[in-house]
Amino acid sequence: MSEESKLKPATLLAHGGRRPEDDNGDVAPPIHPSTNYARGEDYGLINPAAGYSRDSNPGYPPVETLLARLEGGAEAMLLASGMAAAAAVVQALRPGDHIVAQKVMYWGVRDWLIGFCADWGLGLDLADAADPAALAGAVKPGRTKLIWIETPCNPTWDVVDIATAAEVAHKAGARLVVDSTVATPVHCRPMDYGADMVMHSATKALNGHGDAVAGLLVTARADEFWTRVRANRALGGAVLGPFEAWLLHRGLRTLHLRVERASANALAIARHFEGHGSLEAVLYPGLESHPGHATAKGQMRGGFGAMLSFQVKGGAAEALEVAGRCRLAVRATSLGGTESLIEHRASVEGANSPVPANLLRLSIGIEDVGDLIADLEQALNGI
Ligand SMILES: *Cc1c(COP(=O)(O)O)cnc(C)c1O
């Protein structure tokens, strides 16, 4: 976009980070299902970003440039899923390298890391990343190449001080990667605090409509490590389909509005239900009672995200009863959509889950907040 450097994120997003004249005049972004692209008489590619769709797709660059810009990074890369994004980073390490990851975080990444590192000769230590001394203590000087954190993190929404984690990583000569799926670039830019790479499950708020699985990596520097990560998409084959890239592009155009509304709703709900007679705790970083509130205030702006958890008085049975009584919040996994979701994580994660049995995870949507509060109220008051 022209004059791009002066424009605010909301403006860039509303235009999808592009101008109609970049294409054929299409006001809405076009979709490019072709797998391969013709060459000119000089055998040069007609569009350098269009050769073979495993390398790149003409639908990627506007989205990647937009998201790199929003995160304040040098380059971004779309991948087949959030997990593919995480795997592309970890598989760029070499046998014998060591990773420090967060003890409490999105279980899919944690469980995959535990299995993959054991099978492929990578060292792994899990630490309480909200405690800088524990994080520093888990680092193995000379061996640790990656510190992986998620903030706010599933499903307690603990907050990790990104600047402190970056300091620990850089002192050890390691990179800091931040899973910023929950914060979104609307609320937090981890690279402003020293992160080397940001990862998103673009399946969640970035797409925002629950209809495409996608992943994103943004790097602070296009260095040799990034080249290795890139190869894991182009040659490892973790590519995003053209239609999914297009859906993500479409969803991004309303990211700002959706995230602001959902976060405002989440804060209102957290405040309303804190101290409710049927609840043991409301976990939300926007509440002053949350242990990560001060850190969150320092590194997030404009809100604290759409994710919160209720700890119901009682155990699994009481929590499941509350979820069962919800008429508006949908009983389903995932997060960051337009509709609110409620999930009993312990049931989903199975026997080894560290999540308390009485915890219900809520992904707050963009509905009328009064309707949401009324629904949760009747669900809680019924038990
Ligand atoms: C969903 C999620 C992932 C995994 O992403 P997929 O797109 O499902 O592969 C990773 N981290 C967080 C925080 C998530 O919510």
Side-chain angles (χ1 to χ4, degrees), residues 81-84 106 109 150 154 179 181-182 199-204 213-215 334-335 361:
S81 66
M83 291 304 296
Y106 177 76
V109 175
E150 177 188 330
N154 272 280
D179 181 341
T181 300
V182 169
M199 173 252 159
H200 286 276
S201 167
T203 313
K204 314 294 167 53
V213 171
S334 200
L335 57 104
R361 187 183 87 168

XYZ file of all heavy atoms in Angstrom, residues 81-84 106 109 150 154 179 181-182 199-204 213-215 334-335 361, ligand 1:
182
model
N -0.859 -25.152 9.443
C -1.576 -25.093 10.725
C -0.656 -24.471 11.762
O 0.549 -24.308 11.504
C -1.974 -26.512 11.181
O -0.808 -27.265 11.472
N -1.203 -24.194 12.926
C -0.367 -23.711 14.020
C 0.676 -24.752 14.404
O 1.838 -24.432 14.650
N 0.263 -26.018 14.426
C 1.202 -27.088 14.777
C 2.308 -27.207 13.726
O 3.467 -27.459 14.064
C 0.467 -28.430 14.924
C -0.458 -28.512 16.131
S 0.323 -28.176 17.724
C 1.492 -29.527 17.815
N 1.952 -27.025 12.450
C 2.971 -27.077 11.395
C 3.971 -25.931 11.583
O 5.169 -26.096 11.318
C 2.321 -26.993 10.013
N -0.406 -24.486 25.726
C -1.273 -25.225 24.832
C -0.791 -26.673 24.762
O 0.345 -26.935 24.373
C -1.272 -24.572 23.453
C -2.097 -25.317 22.443
C -3.478 -25.245 22.467
C -1.489 -26.104 21.482
C -4.233 -25.941 21.543
C -2.240 -26.802 20.551
C -3.610 -26.722 20.597
O -4.350 -27.416 19.683
N 1.058 -28.434 21.588
C 2.468 -28.114 21.363
C 3.320 -28.815 22.415
O 4.336 -29.433 22.088
C 2.711 -26.586 21.394
C 4.204 -26.285 21.279
C 1.947 -25.892 20.270
N 4.408 -19.165 25.747
C 3.075 -18.777 25.273
C 2.523 -17.803 26.305
O 2.539 -18.099 27.497
C 2.196 -20.028 25.197
C 0.766 -19.770 24.777
C -0.104 -21.029 24.910
O 0.427 -22.150 24.773
O -1.295 -20.887 25.179
N -2.562 -20.978 27.841
C -3.648 -21.927 28.103
C -3.376 -22.747 29.342
O -2.250 -23.239 29.471
C -3.729 -22.906 26.923
C -4.629 -22.397 25.824
O -5.826 -22.515 25.932
N -4.044 -21.830 24.787
N 4.483 -17.960 21.308
C 3.167 -18.311 20.771
C 2.215 -17.214 21.253
O 1.857 -17.151 22.431
C 2.741 -19.703 21.281
C 1.373 -20.140 20.742
O 0.606 -19.272 20.289
O 1.082 -21.356 20.800
N -0.840 -16.533 19.987
C -2.181 -16.812 19.463
C -3.267 -16.106 20.274
O -4.200 -15.533 19.716
C -2.440 -18.337 19.478
O -1.459 -18.977 18.665
C -3.825 -18.688 18.967
N -3.144 -16.153 21.602
C -4.199 -15.621 22.463
C -4.162 -14.088 22.499
O -5.205 -13.437 22.507
C -4.083 -16.236 23.881
C -4.982 -15.534 24.877
C -4.432 -17.726 23.812
N 4.838 -16.974 16.800
C 4.048 -18.018 16.166
C 2.572 -17.789 16.490
O 2.235 -17.345 17.584
C 4.529 -19.382 16.697
C 3.704 -20.569 16.273
S 2.773 -21.171 17.701
C 1.483 -22.077 16.895
N 1.727 -18.071 15.499
C 0.278 -18.004 15.720
C -0.393 -19.250 15.168
O -0.042 -19.700 14.068
C -0.354 -16.815 14.978
C -0.086 -15.491 15.598
N -0.839 -15.003 16.634
C 0.841 -14.556 15.334
C -0.382 -13.811 16.979
N 0.645 -13.510 16.200
N -1.393 -19.735 15.881
C -2.379 -20.585 15.238
C -3.352 -19.612 14.578
O -4.204 -19.022 15.248
C -3.107 -21.461 16.263
O -4.234 -22.027 15.611
N -3.206 -19.434 13.257
C -4.077 -18.510 12.532
C -5.491 -19.066 12.381
O -6.401 -18.372 11.930
C -3.474 -18.192 11.163
N -5.641 -20.333 12.804
C -6.958 -20.968 12.895
C -7.871 -20.183 13.841
O -9.091 -20.253 13.735
C -6.774 -22.390 13.479
O -5.708 -23.039 12.800
C -8.026 -23.215 13.402
N -7.258 -19.494 14.794
C -8.003 -18.873 15.890
C -8.396 -17.433 15.512
O -9.026 -17.258 14.493
C -7.169 -18.956 17.175
C -6.544 -20.345 17.423
C -7.566 -21.437 17.689
C -7.004 -22.850 17.621
N -5.823 -23.108 18.451
N -8.072 -23.942 8.979
C -6.914 -24.272 9.820
C -5.686 -23.665 9.144
O -5.469 -23.877 7.948
C -6.771 -25.805 9.967
C -5.463 -26.166 10.652
C -7.949 -26.378 10.756
N -4.914 -22.876 9.908
C -3.750 -22.195 9.317
C -2.753 -21.833 10.412
O -3.110 -21.725 11.585
C -4.190 -20.933 8.580
N -1.507 -21.650 10.026
C -0.466 -21.250 10.974
C 0.359 -20.112 10.427
O 0.359 -19.856 9.210
N -11.375 -25.099 20.462
C -10.852 -23.985 19.665
C -11.195 -22.653 20.327
O -11.768 -22.614 21.428
C -11.348 -24.028 18.222
O -10.489 -23.240 17.411
N -10.813 -21.572 19.673
C -10.967 -20.248 20.277
C -10.858 -19.174 19.194
O -10.454 -19.454 18.061
C -9.906 -20.031 21.361
C -8.420 -20.165 20.953
C -7.772 -18.804 20.825
C -7.663 -20.985 21.998
N -12.930 -23.576 30.247
C -12.262 -22.551 29.432
C -13.291 -21.886 28.528
O -14.049 -22.565 27.847
C -11.162 -23.206 28.599
C -10.313 -22.208 27.844
C -9.273 -22.909 26.981
N -9.819 -23.248 25.676
C -9.083 -23.646 24.642
N -7.771 -23.797 24.785
N -9.637 -23.937 23.485
C -4.791 -23.973 18.524
C -3.492 -23.576 19.083
C -2.290 -24.102 18.583
C -2.282 -25.153 17.474
O -2.718 -24.589 16.262
P -3.508 -25.406 15.121
O -3.864 -24.348 14.123
O -4.678 -26.076 15.767
O -2.557 -26.411 14.562
C -1.112 -23.662 19.136
N -1.089 -22.762 20.145
C -2.218 -22.237 20.644
C -2.142 -21.245 21.751
C -3.455 -22.631 20.144
O -4.580 -22.119 20.659
